[in-house]
Amino acid sequence: MRKSIFLLPIFVLILVAALSSVFIVDERERALVLQFGQIVKVKSEPGVGFKVPLIQDVVKYDDRILSRDLDPLEVTPSDDRRLVVDAFARYRIADVVQFRQAVGAGGLEVASRRLDGILRDTTRNVLGTVSSNDILSTDRAALMLRIRNNAIAEAQSLGLEVIDVRLKRTDLPPENLNATYERMKAEREREAADEVARGNEAALRIRAQADRTVVELTSDANRQAEITRGEADAARNAVYAEAFGADPEFFEFYRSMTAYLRFAEQGRSSMVLSPDSEFFNYLQSDQGSAENTAQAQSSASGQATGTTAPADQ
């Protein structure tokens, strides 16, 4: 009975020591066995591991891909237009031994702060060599690749592997928004004024060409019309000459009728002419000047006979 009382504590101590010497590594983890703060063993494969109780400790680190969001960062590109950049990174612990030596007992908290500094410095250095238009364009993919490559080299000293770096948001600082909007507005107004000026210049050029074409076409049409009119007048005069030459009396009659018609169309109510004017030839007789001539000759003959008769008496 007394022997069992002494053996029970010993058995409990042995059991506790055995349990404390066993540790389990998950497939998502890697473990370091430390002895008085020094690394004595690395457990990279999942499964059961052993350590010396009370003397050795086990530190486990996440072997998965981790994410880190950076606080909004203000950068100054080469064109001096300040931008606020919001980025995040994906990384993993590539070398647990180097990681432990670099960060000590601080673990991921210390490593995250140091990684943030690396990413901020790298982002500022890369984005400071390009213009803001490059940052806001499709060239961002190449810029993110440059940031990642630069961060990889610096993060290796921490035992970290930077897998990817992304720029989530790129905005202007609040104090620069109004100035930027006004500058963009002025640029657009200037471009619009240039377009209007070029349009007006083109309109004047087209209008001048059109006016010149109108003048040329009108001049050519007038010239052709004058030529045609002259040819028609010549043909008309030839016809008139032929017709009037065949009947001179009809020509005299036509001229008189035309004169009467023009006088009547003018609306005049009186006209002062000599009674023996040729204008009244066809108003006095339908024979015109021929009849008047005959009457004149007959009168002259009668006057001659009347003068001789008293002499005979």
Side-chain angles (χ1 to χ4, degrees):
M1 183 69 179
R2 291 181 179 180
K3 185 176 181 180
S4 61
I5 293 175
F6 289 106
L7 292 177
L8 183 59
I10 296 173
F11 177 77
V12 172
L13 291 175
I14 295 173
L15 180 61
V16 172
L19 291 176
S20 62
S21 65
V22 177
F23 64 93
I24 299 174
V25 178
D26 190 82
E27 63 269 10
R28 297 167 295 180
E29 298 174 333
R30 282 189 288 178
L32 292 178
V33 179
L34 305 178
Q35 182 173 329
F36 304 112
Q38 301 296 321
I39 301 173
V40 296
K41 185 179 180 181
V42 178
K43 179 65 174 177
S44 301
E45 298 297 329
V48 178
F50 299 94
K51 66 182 181 65
V52 178
L54 302 178
I55 298 177
Q56 295 179 344
D57 295 324
V58 177
V59 180
K60 297 179 181 179
Y61 296 106
D62 202 329
D63 194 34
R64 295 174 296 180
I65 296 176
L66 306 174
S67 296
R68 184 66 181 174
D69 287 324
L70 295 179
D71 294 333
L73 175 66
E74 187 171 306
V75 299
T76 304
S78 59
D79 54 1
D80 293 332
R81 293 176 59 184
R82 293 187 301 165
L83 296 174
V84 176
V85 176
D86 189 5
F88 74 95
R90 292 189 178 94
Y91 70 99
R92 62 185 294 270
I93 301 174
D95 189 340
V96 291
V97 174
Q98 188 173 3
F99 180 80
R100 176 70 184 188
Q101 293 173 348
V103 302
L108 282 177
E109 183 177 355
V110 176
S112 298
R113 290 199 299 267
R114 295 179 62 177
L115 180 62
D116 287 349
I118 293 173
L119 293 174
R120 282 196 295 267
D121 293 341
T122 304
T123 302
R124 284 197 178 98
N125 293 336
V126 172
L127 299 185
T129 60
V130 298
S131 65
S132 57
N133 292 331
D134 294 333
I135 299 174
L136 299 175
S137 67
T138 55
D139 293 337
R140 290 178 62 177
L143 296 176
M144 291 186 291
L145 183 61
R146 288 177 54 188
I147 295 173
R148 190 204 71 173
N149 293 338
N150 293 345
I152 287 176
E154 297 187 27
Q156 285 179 351
S157 60
L158 300 176
L160 300 177
E161 177 187 1
V162 178
I163 298 174
D164 193 14
V165 176
R166 293 288 173 179
L167 302 179
K168 297 190 297 183
R169 181 174 58 90
T170 305
D171 292 330
L172 294 170
E175 61 272 14
N176 292 354
L177 286 177
N178 292 333
T180 301
Y181 290 154
E182 291 298 327
R183 183 169 63 252
M184 293 173 63
K185 181 180 178 181
E187 291 177 356
R188 297 301 179 270
E189 289 177 350
R190 180 182 57 79
E191 293 177 0
D194 292 342
E195 292 294 333
V196 170
R198 284 193 290 269
N200 291 334
E201 180 182 358
L204 291 176
R205 184 168 57 252
I206 295 173
R207 191 176 294 112
Q209 183 64 30
D211 293 341
R212 177 180 177 182
T213 303
V214 168
V215 172
E216 292 177 351
L217 293 177
T218 303
S219 300
D220 185 68
N222 291 334
R223 182 179 62 83
Q224 295 294 334
E226 292 297 331
I227 293 174
T228 303
R229 190 178 293 110
E231 294 176 351
D233 290 343
R236 182 195 62 181
N237 293 336
V239 173
Y240 282 169
E242 183 179 357
F244 296 154
D247 192 348
E249 184 178 353
F250 173 75
F251 176 65
E252 291 293 335
F253 174 75
Y254 177 78
R255 288 182 60 190
S256 297
M257 292 299 103
T258 302
Y260 297 156
L261 177 62
R262 291 177 179 175
F263 173 74
E265 288 178 347
Q266 293 177 357
R268 295 178 180 177
S269 60
S270 61
M271 184 173 62
V272 179
L273 292 173
S274 174
D276 58 351
S277 174
E278 293 182 358
F279 186 77
F280 298 107
N281 286 345
Y282 284 95
L283 293 179
Q284 297 174 358
S285 171
D286 59 352
Q287 297 298 321
S289 61
E291 182 177 350
N292 293 338
T293 301
Q295 290 178 357
Q297 291 177 354
S298 175
S299 175
S301 299
Q303 290 177 359
T305 304
T307 56
T308 56
D312 291 340
Q313 292 177 356

